[in-house]
Amino acid sequence: MALTRLLTKGLFSRPLTEPAPPIEEAALKRLGERLDVAARLRLGRSLAIRQVDAGSCNGCELEIHALSNAFYDLERFGLRFVASPRHADVLLVTGPVTLNMREALLRTFDATPEPKWVVSVGGCALDGGLFAGSYACAGGVGAVLPVDAHIPGCPPAPEALLGGLIALIEANTRRSGSNR
Amino acid sequence: MTGLADAHPPWSAILVDEPGWRAAMEALAAGELTLVSLWGEPGMVHMALSRAHGESVILDLPCPEGRYPSVGAAHAPAIRLERALFDLHGLVADGAVDTRPWLDHGQWEVRHPLGAAAPSTGPAPYAFLPVEGESLHQIPVGPVHAGIIEPGHFRFTANGETVARLEARLGYAHRGVDGLMAGAALDRAAQLAARVCGDSTVAYSLAFARAVEAALGFEAPPRAAWLRALLAEMERLANHLGDIGAICNDAAFSLMLAHCGVLREQVLRTAKVVFGHRLMMDCVVPGGVSVDLDVTGEALVRDLVRTIRERFPTLVELYDETAALQDRTVSTGIVPRELVQRFAAGGYVGRASGRTFDARRDFPYAPYDRFTFKVAVREEGDVNARVWVRIDEVDESLSLIEQILGESPTGPVHVNPPSGSGEGTALVEGFRGDILAWVRILKGRIERAHLRDPSWFQWPLIEACIEGNIVADFPLCNKSFNCAYAGCDL
């Protein structure tokens, strides 16, 4: 009964999903510059994302999870999370990169096929944040991998995450638009 | 065991010698005392103990030679804490049954970074516990997992689909929080405490703030205590709603995830509007809270409670009457009652197996000491029982929020901490269980701090409960525990 009630209600209520957040032009330009010819030929309007927690407090992961809820529903933008780096275009990396995670992060990067981008997420991933200078941290994703874009916040709100990821697709589409 | 009977909250410290320490070990092994935590500093180990009804004490054992009698040899819950203690401080547990490293993976430049630091000897092979028998194979999983989840390594030994042994290896999220705390000013230390474990940021901030207040001998204003409880219950609500959905999703029932996800999001959105941060980070600080609740905010929180009260019962009904879901959760991943007692497992892990401990009731602090609330408890100890404890706790949190809003006093929400020195301890109930905070403050700066996550005593029980289950049920068991990685790795 509960199932029927929920499904019937769902049929007649408005969707919760909200419009896409505005995208910051400067971020878009930066990203566009990073996308080379090979990338725009190979990528369509979709990105497969592999998330790697490189020692975050889990705050960023909670908000990344929220991207899949009914309000943000990131799959409508062609964005989806994948289970393996082999399937990924983007590594979404959080945390100050603990030294205990450095090798796993490098291996995940190596396992990701070209073309690929690294997007760092959250204050820790930028420069270590509060954990900068610790004996146990590398001090940000940039200390270990080439970073293409950064989404700031502690943790970034889902709108910011969504905006950053859509910018990645948009930058690609705009550059490749003349060829299609 | 002498001294404990005289000890009353706030926690008193007793300087002991080796025989005193060993007497405590025997009492632990006999089940007369509960191990609350074990930690160290150069030349000293500390053991926090409790007995029912808030009787609690911290034993301080000087160990100038860097050795102390192993508690883990008599009482298994201490084993991982001792391994961490050795890795960070180089303090040796005499007679320890497990001397493998825990936090130190050989990747830091130093060994024993908080003790007599020495150059690292580099990574060494990690010896997982041996498993012998016919037709056994091993499945290594992690630290990078298929989903969006914290880093940890799981080594399954299975016979076909049936798990014969699971061993977890953690430490991947070790950021060196204890080291960063040492010498930190109070505001920076509070920020660090808020980022030990992202889903429990309110609970950690609260434990830390209360320990600081105990150390400096002052109290947050009454209104602050009420708002702290409001923040803590909102956090509990958000996590339980998210987890109930996620557990069902791991049983391939995604409709529950979709609906619970909406409710969780509404809690976080309310938190953002009312308190300025979706996870309520840095809202609880030593001396009070950094946010206040106005009439509009109060109305929004009341709206939220109304929405959840309206929608949640249908979801509970759906959970309760979907046989396909029950088939996965009932009698899966059973934790026996003896184990939660011995490990003093807190939160829904303990309460789903008949251990009724709840720090809000058993170590009462304002404003919970004024409220009546039920501590949800089940006996079965399976995934289903852990789901039901959470369901009951959602109801309790909603009712507590209403009580808090109805009775909150007016007045200031923050006072500046006095400068001074001292030691303080606090135990608070996070959504996952009891969090211990201990601090020593020297002239307004943290000299040493210790934060103990509830998962220290829950992780070993996952390993126990999965035995005899199938590999495919591990995600379900794991999610029903939802142990912290970052919180323990620190």
Side-chain angles (χ1 to χ4, degrees):
Chain A
M1 276 313 287
L3 184 62
T4 320
R5 267 207 318 280
L6 275 172
L7 293 177
T8 317
K9 202 173 170 205
L11 278 177
F12 296 103
S13 51
R14 284 191 307 114
L16 295 167
T17 313
E18 295 167 336
I23 298 160
E24 195 201 329
E25 276 301 315
L28 193 60
K29 188 159 177 292
R30 276 199 307 277
L31 286 166
E33 286 162 8
R34 306 283 313 208
L35 295 169
D36 60 17
V37 180
R40 67 183 146 94
L41 289 178
R42 285 175 203 167
L43 278 177
R45 279 193 59 89
S46 79
L47 286 178
I49 305 162
R50 174 64 251 182
Q51 199 267 334
V52 182
D53 178 340
S56 99
C57 73
N58 197 32
C60 290
E61 278 65 30
L62 293 174
E63 295 297 54
I64 292 170
H65 264 292
L67 291 176
S68 301
N69 75 30
F71 291 91
Y72 306 106
D73 183 26
L74 87 169
E75 295 215 4
R76 71 197 149 121
F77 301 107
L79 298 162
R80 65 200 165 94
F81 290 108
V82 293
S84 162
R86 300 273 189 226
H87 305 157
D89 307 307
V90 172
L91 290 184
L92 196 64
V93 189
T94 64
V97 188
T98 60
L99 296 181
N100 288 350
M101 269 306 287
R102 182 170 52 185
E103 187 182 334
L105 177 61
L106 281 168
R107 286 197 196 183
T108 307
F109 181 78
D110 290 342
T112 311
E114 296 281 355
K116 59 188 165 193
W117 291 274
V118 175
V119 178
S120 57
V121 168
C124 303
L126 181 64
D127 56 6
L130 274 182
F131 305 103
S134 166
Y135 63 86
C137 295
V141 180
V144 180
L145 296 180
V147 174
D148 297 291
H150 177 73
I151 302 174
C154 184
E159 291 90 352
L161 289 162
L162 202 51
L165 292 170
I166 292 173
L168 205 58
I169 291 186
E170 287 282 312
N172 177 50
T173 313
R174 286 195 195 181
R175 277 186 55 124
S176 59
S178 57
N179 284 357
R180 296 190 175 188
Chain B
M1 183 64 209
T2 55
L4 192 79
D6 305 317
H8 294 287
W11 301 43
S12 49
I14 302 177
L15 193 67
V16 292
D17 52 8
E18 267 201 35
W21 185 266
R22 287 185 192 279
M25 285 165 52
E26 281 164 24
L28 281 172
E32 292 159 13
L33 290 175
T34 298
L35 179 67
V36 182
S37 196
L38 179 73
W39 71 101
E41 60 184 311
M44 179 92 87
V45 285
H46 307 279
M47 176 157 52
L49 300 166
S50 74
R51 215 150 44 184
H53 310 301
E55 281 182 273
S56 52
V57 67
I58 294 172
L59 303 187
D60 301 334
L61 175 71
C63 47
E65 308 295 318
R67 312 183 78 90
Y68 64 98
S70 166
V71 183
H75 189 59
I79 292 174
R80 285 184 181 172
L81 289 161
E82 281 181 0
R83 290 165 68 186
L85 191 50
F86 176 74
D87 287 352
L88 297 182
H89 296 277
L91 294 168
V92 178
D94 273 326
V97 290
D98 190 343
T99 55
R100 293 173 298 165
W102 181 245
L103 297 176
D104 186 354
H105 293 192
Q107 301 287 344
W108 314 330
E109 284 180 7
V110 291
R111 295 183 79 201
H112 318 311
L114 308 183
S120 170
T121 48
Y126 186 81
F128 284 94
L129 297 173
V131 187
E132 286 176 16
E134 276 183 48
S135 309
L136 294 177
H137 62 281
Q138 287 204 337
I139 312 167
V141 180
V144 178
H145 301 265
I148 300 163
I149 179 173
E150 296 184 82
H153 182 88
F154 300 102
R155 186 63 60 101
F156 295 90
T157 305
N159 182 335
E161 266 292 296
T162 307
V163 179
R165 165 170 266 169
L166 163 66
E167 193 182 349
R169 187 190 186 196
L170 303 179
Y172 293 94
H174 179 70
R175 291 145 292 162
V177 173
D178 286 12
L180 292 164
M181 282 271 186
L186 286 187
D187 52 353
R188 176 176 151 83
Q191 286 181 329
L192 279 165
R195 284 156 189 80
V196 166
C197 185
D199 57 23
S200 302
T201 177
V202 173
Y204 267 94
S205 297
L206 179 56
F208 178 78
R210 290 189 58 239
V212 167
E213 287 152 17
L216 298 179
F218 77 111
E219 277 186 24
R223 182 168 174 79
W226 255 254
L227 291 180
R228 285 171 169 187
L230 175 59
L231 290 156
E233 296 310 317
M234 295 261 291
E235 179 174 87
R236 196 180 321 277
L237 211 48
N239 284 313
H240 280 338
L241 289 170
D243 281 358
I244 292 167
I247 295 166
C248 296
N249 191 52
D250 276 343
F253 197 75
S254 56
L255 187 69
M256 280 289 284
L257 177 68
H259 282 278
C260 289
V262 167
L263 293 183
R264 174 185 158 84
E265 177 70 18
Q266 284 170 331
V267 178
L268 300 189
R269 288 182 170 205
T270 306
K272 168 73 183 170
V273 176
V274 178
F275 301 117
H277 192 285
R278 284 165 54 89
L279 303 181
M280 298 165 281
M281 236 169 218
D282 303 321
C283 288
V284 176
V285 292
V289 288
S290 61
V291 289
D292 201 352
L293 184 72
D294 56 15
V295 181
T296 324
E298 191 178 321
L300 285 170
V301 176
R302 284 190 195 278
D303 278 350
L304 174 73
V305 171
R306 202 174 304 124
T307 306
I308 299 174
R309 279 213 193 281
E310 192 183 292
R311 298 207 198 135
F312 190 59
T314 316
L315 302 178
V316 175
E317 198 185 323
L318 180 60
Y319 175 80
D320 200 26
E321 64 183 32
T322 303
L325 202 46
Q326 304 278 313
D327 184 48
R328 297 290 306 280
T329 59
V330 174
S331 79
T332 303
I334 297 173
V335 185
R337 188 192 177 109
E338 310 85 78
L339 270 186
V340 298
Q341 293 290 0
R342 196 187 330 153
F343 278 76
Y348 42 80
V349 173
R351 293 196 279 271
S353 294
R355 181 174 184 262
T356 60
F357 182 83
D358 185 318
R360 291 174 296 176
R361 184 195 64 188
D362 299 322
F363 280 69
Y365 46 96
Y368 295 107
D369 49 357
R370 313 227 333 199
F371 298 148
T372 46
F373 59 97
K374 287 198 291 283
V375 175
V377 63
R378 301 264 159 167
E379 300 292 333
E380 300 82 3
D382 54 2
V383 172
N384 183 50
R386 287 187 283 279
V387 171
W388 273 105
V389 169
R390 289 162 180 273
I391 290 173
D392 293 344
E393 288 185 14
V394 166
D395 282 338
E396 282 306 312
S397 284
L398 293 172
S399 138
L400 278 166
I401 289 173
E402 285 169 335
Q403 293 183 56
I404 293 163
L405 291 177
E407 293 187 31
S408 60
T410 53
V413 296
H414 185 258
V415 289
N416 284 326
S419 65
S421 306
E423 283 184 23
T425 313
L427 194 73
V428 308
E429 189 72 18
F431 92 98
R432 189 177 270 126
D434 48 302
I435 294 170
L436 176 85
W438 172 88
V439 297
R440 184 190 296 129
I441 300 174
L442 194 64
K443 292 177 188 156
R445 295 185 94 85
I446 299 290
E447 189 184 57
R448 187 95 187 91
H450 169 69
L451 300 163
R452 194 271 298 141
D453 194 272
S455 296
W456 278 101
F457 302 128
Q458 296 168 341
W459 273 116
L461 305 186
I462 287 196
E463 296 178 356
C465 88
I466 193 69
E467 279 179 34
N469 288 256
I470 58 173
V471 176
D473 278 340
F474 175 68
L476 206 52
C477 296
N478 196 30
K479 197 70 214 175
S480 75
F481 274 66
N482 190 9
C483 285
Y485 297 68
C488 293
D489 290 349
L490 227 58

